[in-house]
């Protein structure tokens, strides 16, 4: 690849396709996740990381023996084109530590350190599982998720983390996975259920839930939030994505839509209201009124 | 609160057992109602949930009253809460328009309402290349061309450009020498060279377009973005920045330990056009005299300086040679040589470019 001051220009079609897949796009695809294991991890942390990896397949990459240093993470995220990361570690001061984080332009945007108090893994709950890659339904319960600033950001990060690819339509029978987050007394409970659609009297089914999948009891430890302007910058959408406003259309309170048509000025003297034979202009009539109406015979 | 009731069953009773029928009826009805309650899809909530169906997301803002729950109860409580919330979300999803895609019923999701941060900043529009600018100016549209072209010689369809292209003139096995050309000229080589020149020109233009797109310019005065800047470069950058004010740096305060700049002021000084006529006349006459005289002009100080420099250079070279051999005597010889040098040469002016060596015992 020819290099020009750090800018790489591809020479083959394959490399060009690769670079295009990594370049910034108007509408972005699903974010990839790096799941990293720190230097010292306990059994709980390892199993938990593996469970989340299986939840997030195929958009996740597993790394081992990583460090928490920021340049390390930046390097890895650039290498593998991942913008979400999850780092698990264990030490005496912070046992069973999970750090959820996301990047903007390969720099750290937000980071949340959550401690695992209780963890039940996938293998411990013996029920049938659904195929990986199903888009989960996310439910957040607790008014703290909307009042506290930290929790607001955490909610946004968890949505980003677990939502899966953006799809235009979803198969009704395939809505199987539900992730439920509850905040209670400073703790965050994450439960994962399988959704059974039972017959009810009408079209909408009745839901029965079956616990499946990992269940976590988190406690929020440290946070590293992005500054407000960086956060705003990260949310900036390109102009092309903004919905185009249709002009001359307005809506009523009742939902009736009105349109406005702009006309040119009409010459009202030339306006013909009715088609009556008697009112039709005849040849030679206006020119000479004294003449005999010869034409009258022809018309009849 | 909405409760859905399907059409109730109609029971036919025999007219003889009237009492029994009515009891049966009542029981059946009661059973039915209970079953209905169990299967209901309605959920009673204080505050409505906030839905973002595009993301399959629901947010429940209701207060969670039950506190200090024990383990087992907590799980059940959470499960019940999850069930209620999921039911509401599913109700919302089922309200969406559906369509049938390959024997599967699919609901069309609306736009996402939650704003989430992007992964990378939005792409910047690329500046048009030279050709694109010209085409826009002239109104030239791009014409869609076919991929393959018919090649007469090979009698097959070949690609328009690239490997094994159609009508490749460098691959001709016979070239007629035109009448105007030199008979000894190699026509094949000529064609190859022309192609190489075209390729090189194209590459140059491509790189120029890239450079223009990325706006890679070297700054005239100031710091080039490098990893390590040298002391002089930094000092230069500081002085340039200081003088880039409206009053050209005259009223800029200096830092406590900053020294005044060395080479400031005018670089060249010219005499005024209409000044002292006498001194001008004298200067011109002297110049003419020097030009007219036959003897070469000798500047004594310049000659002495040149001589001294030469001697120093030779001594340094000798020192280096000696230093490679034995390091002990290096200090002595250097001291001696240097001490003697300037004093010894003070009186040796005269005689244009002659080199005199006055070094004892070095041969």
């Amino acid at each position: 690849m020819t290099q020009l001051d750090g800018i790489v220009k591809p020479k083959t079609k394959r490399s060009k396709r690769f670079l295009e897949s990594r370049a910034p796009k108007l509408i972005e695809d699903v974010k990839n996740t790096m799941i990293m294991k720190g230097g010292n991890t306990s059994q709980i942390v390892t199993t938990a990381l593996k469970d989340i990896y299986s939840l997030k397949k195929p958009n996740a990459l597993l790394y081992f023996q990583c460090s928490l240093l920021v340049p390390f993470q930046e390097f890895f995220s650039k290498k593998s084109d991942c913008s979400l990361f999850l780092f698990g570690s264990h030490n005496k001061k912070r046992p069973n530590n999970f750090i959820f984080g996301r990047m903007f332009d390969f720099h750290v945007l937000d980071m949340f350190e959550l401690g695992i108090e209780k963890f039940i893994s996938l293998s411990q709950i013996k029920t049938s599982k659904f195929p990986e890659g199903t888009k989960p339904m996310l439910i957040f319960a607790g008014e703290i998720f909307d009042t506290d600033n930290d929790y607001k950001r955490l909610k946004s990060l968890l949505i980003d983390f677990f939502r899966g690819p953006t799809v235009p339509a979803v198969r009704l029978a395939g809505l199987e996975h539900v992730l439920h987050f509850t905040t209670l007394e400073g703790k965050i409970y994450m439960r994962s259920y399988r959704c059974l659609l039972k017959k009810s009297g009408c079209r909408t089914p009745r839901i029965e839930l079956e616990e499946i999948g990992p269940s976590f009891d988190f406690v929020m430890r440290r946070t590293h939030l992005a500054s407000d302007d960086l956060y705003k910058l990260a949310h900036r959408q390109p102009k092309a994505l903004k919905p185009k406003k249709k002009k001359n259309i307005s809506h009523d309170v009742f939902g009736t839509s009105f349109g406005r048509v702009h006309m040119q000025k009409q010459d009202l003297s030339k306006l013909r209201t009715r088609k009556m034979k008697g009112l039709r202009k005849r040849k030679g009539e206006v020119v000479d009124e004294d003449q005999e109406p010869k034409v009258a015979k022809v018309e009849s | 609160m909405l409760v859905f009731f399907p059409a109730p069953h109609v029971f036919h009773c025999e007219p003889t057992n009237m009492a029994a029928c009515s009891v049966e009826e009542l029981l059946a009805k009661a059973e039915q109602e209970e079953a209905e309650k169990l299967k209901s899809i309605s959920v009673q909530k204080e505050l409505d949930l906030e839905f973002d169906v595009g993301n399959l997301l629901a947010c429940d803002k209701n207060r969670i009253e039950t506190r200090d729950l024990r383990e087992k109860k907590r799980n059940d409580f959470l499960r019940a809460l999850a069930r209620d919330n999921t039911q509401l979300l599913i109700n919302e999803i089922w309200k969406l328009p559906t369509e049938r895609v390959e024997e599967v019923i699919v609901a069309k999701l609306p736009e996402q309402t939650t704003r989430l941060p992007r992964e990378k900043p939005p792409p910047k529009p690329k500046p048009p290349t030279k050709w694109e600018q010209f085409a826009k100016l002239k109104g030239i549209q791009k014409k869609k061309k076919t991929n393959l072209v018919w090649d007469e010689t090979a009698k097959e369809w070949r690609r328009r450009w690239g490997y094994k292209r159609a009508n490749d003139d460098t691959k001709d096995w016979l070239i007629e020498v035109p009448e105007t050309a030199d008979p000894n000229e190699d026509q094949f080589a000529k064609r190859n060279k022309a192609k190489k020149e075209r390729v090189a020109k194209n590459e140059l233009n491509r790189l120029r377009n890239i450079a223009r797109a990325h706006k890679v310019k070297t700054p005239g005065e100031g710091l080039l973005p490098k990893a390590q800047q040298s002391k002089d470069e930094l000092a230069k950058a500081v002085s340039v920045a200081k003088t880039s004010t409206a009053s050209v740096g005259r009223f800029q305060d200096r830092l406590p330990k900053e020294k005044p700049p060395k080479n400031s002021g005018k670089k060249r000084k010219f005499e005024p056009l209409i000044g002292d006529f006498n001194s001008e006349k004298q200067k011109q006459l002297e110049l003419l005299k020097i030009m007219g005289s036959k003897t070469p002009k000798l500047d004594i100080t310049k000659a002495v300086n040149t001589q001294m420099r030469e001697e120093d250079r030779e001594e340094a070279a000798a020192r280096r040679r000696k230093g490679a051999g034995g390091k002990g005597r290096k200090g002595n010889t250097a001291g001696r040589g240097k001490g003697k040098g300037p004093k010894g040469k003070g009186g040796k002016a005269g005689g244009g470019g002659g080199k005199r060596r006055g070094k004892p015992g070095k041969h």
Side-chain angles (χ1 to χ4, degrees):
Chain A
M1 296 191 187
T2 54
Q3 283 201 311
L4 193 75
D5 283 330
I7 303 148
V8 181
K9 274 277 162 176
K11 271 198 164 171
T12 59
K13 272 236 164 102
R14 184 163 172 238
S15 51
K16 186 177 176 195
R17 264 183 272 136
F18 176 76
L19 282 179
E20 268 177 17
S21 75
R22 295 236 169 145
K25 296 175 203 116
L26 269 185
I27 302 172
E28 296 182 325
D29 354 298
V30 65
K31 292 188 184 180
N32 286 322
T33 316
M34 289 193 289
I35 298 184
M36 300 187 285
K37 202 162 86 150
N40 208 7
T41 50
S42 60
Q43 184 67 31
I44 296 177
V45 170
T46 325
T47 346
L49 284 173
K50 285 217 175 101
D51 278 352
I52 294 204
Y53 173 65
S54 63
L55 266 183
K56 284 225 68 172
K57 268 195 213 172
N59 301 315
L61 291 164
L62 205 51
Y63 286 119
F64 294 100
Q65 298 305 111
C66 294
S67 98
L68 194 54
L69 297 173
V70 172
F72 202 77
Q73 290 174 347
E74 287 186 359
F75 168 71
F76 263 111
S77 85
K78 258 189 225 171
K79 262 247 154 179
S80 54
D81 196 27
C82 290
S83 56
L84 294 167
F85 65 88
L86 172 59
F87 183 84
S89 68
H90 175 81
N91 44 23
K92 214 167 175 186
K93 195 173 177 193
R94 275 175 250 279
N96 300 327
N97 212 14
F98 255 22
I99 300 183
F100 285 92
R102 66 179 154 195
M103 311 263 207
F104 174 68
D105 201 15
F106 306 117
H107 295 286
V108 171
L109 186 65
D110 282 340
M111 278 202 292
F112 287 92
E113 195 172 57
L114 300 169
I116 305 175
E117 303 228 308
K118 204 172 81 116
F119 164 63
I120 305 175
S121 114
L122 269 172
S123 43
Q124 284 174 312
I125 306 175
K126 310 255 186 287
T127 45
S128 62
K129 318 278 185 222
F130 42 75
E132 66 194 21
T134 35
K135 193 169 157 90
M137 293 187 276
L138 301 163
I139 301 180
F140 288 84
E143 74 263 20
I144 314 175
F145 272 128
D146 277 301
T147 48
D148 190 36
N149 201 25
D150 279 357
Y151 278 89
K152 263 197 251 183
R153 295 274 184 103
L154 178 64
K155 179 179 160 189
S156 152
L157 185 103
L158 289 171
I159 296 173
D160 227 348
F161 211 85
F162 288 110
R163 97 180 137 139
T166 317
V167 282
V170 70
R171 202 177 121 232
L172 289 179
L175 291 165
E176 287 181 311
H177 192 190
V178 179
L179 280 170
H180 189 93
F181 298 89
T182 327
T183 5
L184 200 61
E185 292 163 1
K187 291 206 187 145
I188 304 163
Y189 300 102
M190 175 177 146
R191 299 280 180 274
S192 169
Y193 300 104
R194 187 199 176 132
C195 197
L196 303 161
L197 308 165
K198 296 256 159 79
K199 271 196 195 171
S200 79
C202 53
R203 195 172 146 249
T204 320
R206 183 180 161 82
I207 300 292
E208 291 297 339
L209 293 181
E210 198 184 325
E211 182 145 6
I212 171 191
S215 104
F216 291 93
D217 287 1
F218 286 124
V219 69
M220 184 119 104
R221 284 183 188 153
R222 294 182 294 181
T223 60
H224 173 92
L225 302 178
S227 62
D228 277 336
D229 12 301
L230 183 60
Y231 201 64
K232 264 194 207 162
L233 187 70
H235 280 265
R236 206 188 275 182
Q237 304 285 350
K239 259 194 180 173
L241 282 182
K242 284 193 198 147
K244 290 213 177 126
K245 219 183 158 189
K246 271 192 168 174
K247 288 185 175 177
N248 295 325
I249 293 178
S250 58
H251 292 274
D252 203 3
V253 183
F254 301 105
T256 335
S257 60
F258 292 95
R260 217 184 170 95
V261 182
H262 296 269
M263 293 281 299
Q264 285 164 337
K265 195 161 181 186
Q266 277 183 302
D267 187 8
L268 291 169
S269 63
K270 293 219 172 90
L271 197 68
R272 304 281 186 88
T273 44
R274 299 237 186 129
K275 288 184 184 172
M276 277 169 69
K277 264 193 186 176
L279 293 176
R280 253 192 244 164
K281 287 202 173 98
R282 292 189 195 115
K283 282 189 231 174
E285 191 186 286
V286 185
V287 178
D288 205 348
E289 279 169 2
D290 291 331
Q291 260 189 17
E292 294 262 284
K294 257 199 268 177
V295 199
K297 277 190 198 164
V298 181
E299 276 205 56
S300 61
Chain B
M1 186 162 88
L2 289 167
V3 182
F4 292 92
F5 280 110
H9 293 289
V10 179
F11 287 89
H12 298 279
C13 308
E14 289 151 348
T16 46
N17 298 356
M18 278 296 268
C21 252
S22 61
V23 168
E24 260 184 70
E25 230 185 271
L26 277 169
L27 280 173
K29 232 184 181 176
E31 214 184 274
Q32 211 180 46
E33 276 181 52
E34 272 231 47
E36 237 60 69
K37 266 202 200 120
L38 285 172
K39 279 187 174 180
S40 158
I41 55 164
S42 69
V43 176
Q44 177 77 340
K45 282 270 182 186
E46 265 177 31
L47 281 170
D48 276 334
L49 305 202
E50 273 183 13
F51 295 106
D52 177 10
V53 195
N55 265 325
L56 298 179
L57 175 69
C59 301
D60 181 13
K61 287 197 193 52
N62 293 303
R63 271 186 77 95
I64 303 167
E65 281 302 333
T66 40
R67 303 228 174 138
D68 58 324
L69 288 168
R70 268 169 293 120
E71 284 247 348
K72 196 156 186 280
K73 272 195 173 179
R74 188 197 290 156
N75 270 336
D76 290 337
F77 165 70
L78 287 174
R79 193 164 154 172
L81 180 67
R83 195 223 78 82
D84 287 341
N85 288 337
T86 322
Q87 181 72 66
L88 287 167
L89 180 60
I90 290 275
N91 290 352
E92 280 297 315
I93 294 174
W94 249 253
K95 287 182 195 164
L96 295 172
T98 59
E99 59 179 19
R100 215 180 174 83
V101 173
E102 290 172 19
E103 305 164 358
V104 164
I105 302 176
V106 148
K108 282 214 280 244
L109 293 176
E111 281 271 332
Q112 302 177 8
T113 41
T114 2
R115 275 185 70 195
L116 290 166
R118 283 177 65 98
E119 201 180 8
K120 295 169 192 138
K124 294 189 187 73
K126 285 193 300 188
T129 61
K130 208 94 200 287
W131 167 253
E132 279 171 10
Q133 286 170 1
F134 179 75
K136 204 164 81 169
L137 187 70
K138 287 277 187 173
I140 301 170
Q141 307 287 345
K142 259 193 186 178
K143 284 208 183 97
K144 188 105 174 132
K145 295 187 179 126
T146 58
N147 281 346
L148 302 173
V149 186
W150 179 251
D151 190 359
E152 264 309 315
T153 47
K155 297 274 191 302
E156 63 174 4
W157 289 96
R158 286 230 173 126
R159 57 190 85 179
R160 193 181 285 274
W161 56 272
Y163 180 63
K164 282 196 187 145
R165 62 173 159 282
N167 310 324
D168 192 354
D169 65 346
T170 53
K171 299 277 188 298
D172 277 343
W173 58 274
L174 180 88
I175 304 176
E176 284 178 13
V177 178
E179 292 196 41
T180 51
D182 178 20
N184 293 329
E185 194 186 6
D186 185 0
Q187 296 295 329
F188 297 101
K190 186 165 141 196
R191 282 199 181 171
N192 277 326
K193 211 165 84 166
K195 176 156 176 73
K196 284 203 180 113
E197 278 171 15
R198 285 198 301 267
V199 167
K201 176 172 171 270
N202 193 22
E203 188 68 21
L204 176 71
N205 282 332
R206 187 179 78 96
L207 290 173
R208 257 201 244 145
N209 275 330
I210 294 168
R212 199 181 308 116
H214 290 280
K215 291 197 177 63
V216 180
K217 269 193 295 192
T218 54
E221 282 271 31
L223 293 178
L224 276 169
K226 269 197 306 206
Q228 308 296 338
Q229 305 284 357
S230 74
K231 197 171 162 188
D232 318 307
E233 284 179 21
L234 286 171
K236 192 172 181 207
V238 164
S239 65
V240 166
K242 205 164 174 194
T243 46
S244 329
T245 57
S247 50
V248 205
R250 275 177 63 194
F251 305 110
Q252 290 296 111
D253 296 320
R254 251 186 272 135
L255 290 172
K257 282 196 183 167
E258 199 183 338
K259 292 180 205 143
K262 278 190 282 184
N263 304 322
S264 59
K266 288 205 191 117
K267 288 178 192 163
R268 269 189 85 177
K269 204 171 173 195
F270 292 101
E271 298 291 334
L273 270 181
I274 301 173
D276 191 4
F277 286 118
N278 273 327
S279 69
E280 196 182 334
K281 193 166 117 185
Q282 289 300 321
K283 277 201 195 140
Q284 304 274 18
L285 285 174
E286 255 197 61
L287 188 69
L288 284 169
K289 203 163 76 179
I290 292 167
M291 276 163 65
S293 71
K294 303 268 166 116
T295 55
K297 189 179 164 197
L298 184 69
D299 188 3
I300 292 174
T301 30
K302 264 196 180 167
V304 166
N305 284 337
T306 329
Q307 181 73 313
M308 280 180 8
R309 243 183 290 126
E310 282 285 337
E311 308 269 356
D312 283 337
R313 228 181 290 148
E314 281 164 23
E315 269 171 43
R319 221 180 301 139
R320 246 180 274 122
R321 261 183 277 121
K322 267 236 164 158
K327 286 180 189 169
R329 286 175 284 157
K330 196 170 149 193
N332 289 343
T333 43
R336 234 192 315 153
K338 265 222 168 113
K340 263 209 154 182
K343 285 184 225 152
K345 273 94 191 176
K348 279 192 195 140
K355 286 184 196 165
R356 296 235 184 107
R357 290 168 204 264
K359 283 176 232 165
K362 281 247 176 107
H363 307 282

